[in-house]
Amino acid sequence: MPSNKSVSDAPIVQFTNCRILRDHQLQREDLWVREGKILNPEKVFFDEKGSADVQLDCKDSIIAPGFIDVQINGGFGVDFSLATDDFKSGIDLVSQKILSHGVTSFCPTLVTSPPSVYHQVLPQISVRNGGAHGAGILGAHLEGPFISKEKKGAHPEHCLRTFEAGAFQDLLATYGSLDCVQIVTLAPEMRRSSEVIQELTKRGICVSLGHSVANLSQAEEAVQHGATFITHLFNAMLPFHHRDPGIVGLLTSDKIPAGRRVFYGMISDGIHTNPAALRIAHRAHPKGLVLVTDAIAGMGLAPGRHTLGQQVVEIDGLNTYIAGTKTLSGSVATMDTCVRHFQEATGCSVETALEAASLHPAQLLGIEHKKGTLNYDSDADFLMLNDNLYVRATYIAGEEVWRQDASGM
Amino acid sequence: MKLIILENYSQASEWAAKYIRNRIVQFGPGPGRFFTLGLPTGLPRDHPESYHSFMWNNFFKHIDISPENVHILDGNAPDLQAECDAFEEKIKATGGIELFVGGIGPDGHIAFNEPGSSLVSRTRVKTLAMDTILANARFFDGDLSKVPTMALTVGVGTVMDAREVLILITGAHKAFALYKAIEDGVNHMWTVSAFQQHPNTVFVCDEDATLELRVKTVKYFKGLMLVHNKLVEPLYSMKEMGAERSQSKKPYSD
């Protein structure tokens, strides 16, 4: 007997013959979905006396929450830091293409750019739900320009700025609007950064430390003022030193305020971080690890030259450098590749690898009550994967939005 | 009674499952209904230890039963006695229970009919004995204060009215209760003993549960296994109804 009309007309779909990731474990359970949310079947059975309208056999797939990428600069020829006329269609293209990588929500990232770029681009980014048109947009990630000159990495030096003059007002003037901004990466050793961190945190924006030469105390102070994330750990920061661990030391710092957790992004493409370093970070603080792609426009395209904001980068295999140098600049890795590489390099369980790309980013952004898990009443954004963690199908709000066809495309 | 002795827990479970399956097929369920038994009160329905959760997780979600055929006593009903009386009425309305499946407690209770319960009792609210509360504490993290102290339960009389009774008893901790139930007299201190006066009872147990029985009893019933196994072989299926069903007479009577 299908849905109880007095409660809801919407059809109930039951996904059977699968293993779902719930409570940090893969369990042999069915997944029930109605009206775009994960449904509690026990309630349906006893309270509504209803049952499934449609049953789908998942052929023993793994069902995991959709991946959330909080650092992605573009892809497929689209560069989020370039203010083009067809910016909107560019972001639509990327959001549609990354469905095949298992990403159901993302934060389009802008690297250090002149204010004009922010003023033109940011109004064109809006927070929106995902669907057949593409992955959902959670808000922009602004990486720079308030970062350190010494650790600028691939960011253009002439666009770097400081907080000296007007601190938060400066930041607001630079970006134009913070309406759809979810994350800001800055260097905490800069003067007056504490006020800025506090202001941003007050507005619900996640502050991330990165591209910085801060020492551990400066980093801890930033965390005490509200910072909760570290942008691509190890890259663009001082290396770990046993008498001053720098930002890396936050992973095991005892000065983190009670009840708070510091998360850290890792680009596990096998290039940005040596697998041994990845393992050290993971073992030191497994619950804080967030997988990110830091993908650039060249992701998904043939090797060659592409742009990254104001810079030109060159892609050679999996390596992406500032043209003519050996400075890494983003990656061309896809999220599912990162998940697989992370699992292989650390030897962690499938559950851990999947959570690093779904639960942890959701916790970072404070949205784990609706994203990042398969708990009852969460948004039904999920993936069907095979045992080797290759994505077979992507679902957003309970609807299939991508499926790997027989040709393996 | 038939005493079916299997080697261990899994074998006992499997035998019982096959037997129940054959009985269901023979019964030819149609508008026939399904009743589920007594449960603790006061637990919210979606508490992981409520019988609703227990039955859902261990039974209902694995089968294709229609929700309206499930009748579980509601421990949160505003008038508990009325709830119990209504349950009795529902049983009568569907023509009575064909097969009652249950276990026994270490104190020999059937359902929650604790020692001292009337052997002709009906569905009602019972206060649980300390033994039962202790046994259930493991579901509440060992915290005795969290274990419910009252339960709604079918009565001994209610179960005696069923046309057939199947009791599953496994484990050494149940051995003494089994001894009291079948080798001693009928006694309201060991309420399972009431079934000595039921025309059609099957006890399924494992070796450990027979530890307190006389060797003679155990040997006698083990000797009958050849005959008893005919109750589970062949395994009937709903698809082969008809001829099989009409031949449902048992190999021998009790």
Side-chain angles (χ1 to χ4, degrees), chain A residues 1-130:
Chain A
M1 194 194 107
S3 322
N4 182 339
K5 302 274 177 217
S6 67
V7 174
S8 164
D9 252 342
I12 295 177
V13 183
Q14 179 186 4
F15 294 86
T16 64
N17 191 13
C18 51
R19 289 157 286 154
I20 70 176
L21 177 58
R22 187 173 278 159
D23 293 332
H24 314 296
Q25 293 202 308
L26 280 182
Q27 306 179 355
R28 196 151 265 294
E29 292 279 347
D30 295 343
L31 186 74
W32 295 61
V33 177
R34 175 166 68 186
E35 287 182 298
K37 304 247 185 238
I38 313 273
L39 190 61
N40 181 347
E42 194 181 327
K43 266 208 157 101
V44 170
F45 187 81
F46 287 121
D47 293 348
E48 297 178 35
K49 307 248 187 277
S51 56
D53 292 280
V54 179
Q55 288 184 326
L56 294 174
D57 182 339
C58 302
K59 315 229 185 336
D60 202 28
S61 304
I62 291 175
I63 296 192
F67 298 147
I68 301 175
D69 194 353
V70 300
Q71 187 171 6
I72 166 172
N73 309 288
F76 307 96
V78 176
D79 179 353
F80 296 146
S81 306
L82 223 49
T84 57
D85 288 331
D86 57 351
F87 183 83
K88 272 219 161 83
S89 53
I91 217 177
D92 287 346
L93 177 74
V94 175
S95 75
Q96 202 265 320
K97 291 276 194 182
I98 55 180
L99 292 176
S100 65
H101 305 158
V103 178
T104 53
S105 302
F106 70 108
C107 293
T109 307
L110 274 74
V111 297
T112 298
S113 307
S116 55
V117 169
Y118 296 115
H119 293 194
Q120 282 180 269
V121 168
L122 287 181
Q124 301 195 60
I125 297 180
S126 51
V127 171
R128 68 173 191 218
N129 288 330

Side-chain angles (χ1 to χ4, degrees), chain B residues 179-191:
Chain B
Y179 151 66
K180 279 291 184 186
I182 65 178
E183 285 187 342
D184 242 5
V186 174
N187 189 321
H188 65 174
M189 284 310 193
W190 301 89
T191 47

Side-chain angles (χ1 to χ4, degrees), chain B residues 42-61:
Chain B
L43 283 180
R45 189 180 282 178
D46 50 16
H47 187 288
E49 295 306 332
S50 77
Y51 262 58
H52 286 90
S53 298
F54 180 85
M55 292 305 298
W56 168 257
N57 282 314
N58 291 296
F59 192 35
F60 300 140
K61 78 177 179 197

Side-chain angles (χ1 to χ4, degrees), chain A residues 178-199:
Chain A
L178 288 174
D179 278 344
C180 291
V181 175
Q182 185 66 242
I183 309 175
V184 170
T185 293
L186 48 78
E189 70 274 18
M190 300 176 75
R191 264 192 29 122
R192 304 188 71 183
S193 66
S194 310
E195 327 167 13
V196 176
I197 295 175
Q198 282 174 317
E199 277 298 324

Side-chain angles (χ1 to χ4, degrees), chain A residues 69-280:
Chain A
D69 194 353
V70 300
Q71 187 171 6
I72 166 172
N73 309 288
F76 307 96
V78 176
D79 179 353
F80 296 146
S81 306
L82 223 49
T84 57
D85 288 331
D86 57 351
F87 183 83
K88 272 219 161 83
S89 53
I91 217 177
D92 287 346
L93 177 74
V94 175
S95 75
Q96 202 265 320
K97 291 276 194 182
I98 55 180
L99 292 176
S100 65
H101 305 158
V103 178
T104 53
S105 302
F106 70 108
C107 293
T109 307
L110 274 74
V111 297
T112 298
S113 307
S116 55
V117 169
Y118 296 115
H119 293 194
Q120 282 180 269
V121 168
L122 287 181
Q124 301 195 60
I125 297 180
S126 51
V127 171
R128 68 173 191 218
N129 288 330
H133 55 273
I137 296 176
L138 298 170
H141 175 169
L142 303 179
E143 191 188 2
F146 301 99
I147 55 176
S148 148
K149 204 160 55 147
E150 292 96 306
K151 289 291 175 187
K152 62 183 190 295
H155 295 227
E157 183 162 344
H158 63 280
C159 297
L160 298 183
R161 299 172 76 93
T162 64
F163 294 129
E164 294 292 336
F168 187 72
Q169 293 313 315
D170 247 5
L171 180 139
L172 213 45
T174 307
Y175 294 144
S177 136
L178 288 174
D179 278 344
C180 291
V181 175
Q182 185 66 242
I183 309 175
V184 170
T185 293
L186 48 78
E189 70 274 18
M190 300 176 75
R191 264 192 29 122
R192 304 188 71 183
S193 66
S194 310
E195 327 167 13
V196 176
I197 295 175
Q198 282 174 317
E199 277 298 324
L200 288 170
T201 311
K202 251 200 320 223
R203 283 165 166 66
I205 293 176
C206 167
V207 176
S208 184
L209 309 179
H211 287 275
S212 152
V213 294
N215 59 32
L216 182 56
S217 342
Q218 288 164 329
E220 284 167 338
E221 201 187 312
V223 170
Q224 268 145 18
H225 285 120
T228 48
F229 196 43
I230 302 174
T231 302
H232 45 55
L233 187 78
F234 295 128
N235 302 105
M237 57 186 66
L238 290 177
F240 175 87
H241 184 282
H242 51 289
R243 274 190 295 277
D244 190 351
I247 293 178
V248 180
L250 285 177
L251 264 57
T252 46
S253 162
D254 55 359
K255 305 247 183 341
I256 312 291
R260 275 233 257 125
R261 189 189 303 175
V262 171
F263 291 88
Y264 56 99
M266 296 241 55
I267 308 172
S268 68
D269 59 352
I271 292 162
H272 280 73
T273 315
N274 184 295
L278 180 58
R279 283 189 287 273
I280 287 180

Side-chain angles (χ1 to χ4, degrees), chain B residues 2-247:
Chain B
K2 299 189 189 66
L3 180 63
I4 316 283
I5 304 170
L6 280 313
E7 208 179 298
N8 55 39
Y9 178 80
S10 342
Q11 289 190 10
S13 308
E14 200 178 320
W15 197 100
K18 288 183 177 165
Y19 183 72
I20 294 172
R21 172 186 163 150
N22 274 355
R23 293 292 286 112
I24 292 177
V25 174
Q26 280 172 340
F27 177 66
R33 318 273 194 87
F34 187 116
F35 281 84
T36 322
L37 132 84
L39 16 177
T41 65
L43 283 180
R45 189 180 282 178
D46 50 16
H47 187 288
E49 295 306 332
S50 77
Y51 262 58
H52 286 90
S53 298
F54 180 85
M55 292 305 298
W56 168 257
N57 282 314
N58 291 296
F59 192 35
F60 300 140
K61 78 177 179 197
H62 302 283
I63 58 174
D64 61 352
I65 186 171
S66 272
E68 59 280 1
N69 287 341
V70 173
H71 306 273
I72 302 188
L73 281 167
D74 180 6
N76 293 311
D79 182 346
L80 293 177
Q81 193 51 49
E83 171 77 9
C84 295
D85 294 339
F87 198 72
E88 289 275 342
E89 286 304 311
K90 274 191 248 172
I91 295 178
K92 248 202 295 244
T94 62
I97 300 176
E98 175 73 20
L99 171 66
F100 177 92
V101 181
I104 73 177
D107 59 0
H109 72 234
I110 178 72
F112 280 114
N113 293 290
E114 307 285 57
S117 295
S118 159
L119 297 181
V120 294
S121 49
R122 312 301 305 181
T123 306
R124 69 216 183 287
V125 185
K126 277 295 287 180
T127 311
L128 301 179
M130 184 45 108
D131 257 355
T132 307
I133 294 178
L134 287 173
N136 285 326
R138 69 183 193 272
F139 298 122
F140 295 88
D141 298 320
D143 184 350
L144 287 182
S145 63
K146 294 209 180 105
V147 186
T149 53
M150 312 244 282
L152 298 185
T153 179
V154 286
V156 183
T158 317
V159 182
M160 287 290 287
D161 283 348
R163 284 184 280 285
E164 183 171 356
V165 177
L166 173 70
I167 308 286
L168 288 126
I169 307 157
T170 54
H173 57 301
K174 302 281 173 84
F176 193 71
L178 179 59
Y179 151 66
K180 279 291 184 186
I182 65 178
E183 285 187 342
D184 242 5
V186 174
N187 189 321
H188 65 174
M189 284 310 193
W190 301 89
T191 47
V192 183
S193 62
F195 298 125
Q196 291 179 24
Q197 302 202 296
H198 188 286
N200 233 335
T201 306
V202 181
F203 286 91
V204 178
C205 59
D206 64 355
E207 293 278 0
D208 282 348
T210 62
L211 287 173
E212 294 281 354
L213 298 179
R214 294 230 217 102
V215 176
K216 183 167 161 181
T217 311
V218 174
K219 283 196 163 171
Y220 173 73
F221 283 104
K222 276 193 174 168
L224 290 176
M225 278 311 285
L226 222 55
V227 176
H228 289 158
N229 277 332
K230 294 207 181 125
L231 294 167
V232 294
E233 279 144 34
L235 260 192
Y236 301 140
S237 90
M238 292 298 296
K239 302 189 190 118
E240 318 153 355
M241 296 208 275
E244 305 270 14
R245 272 214 287 129
S246 58
Q247 287 172 24

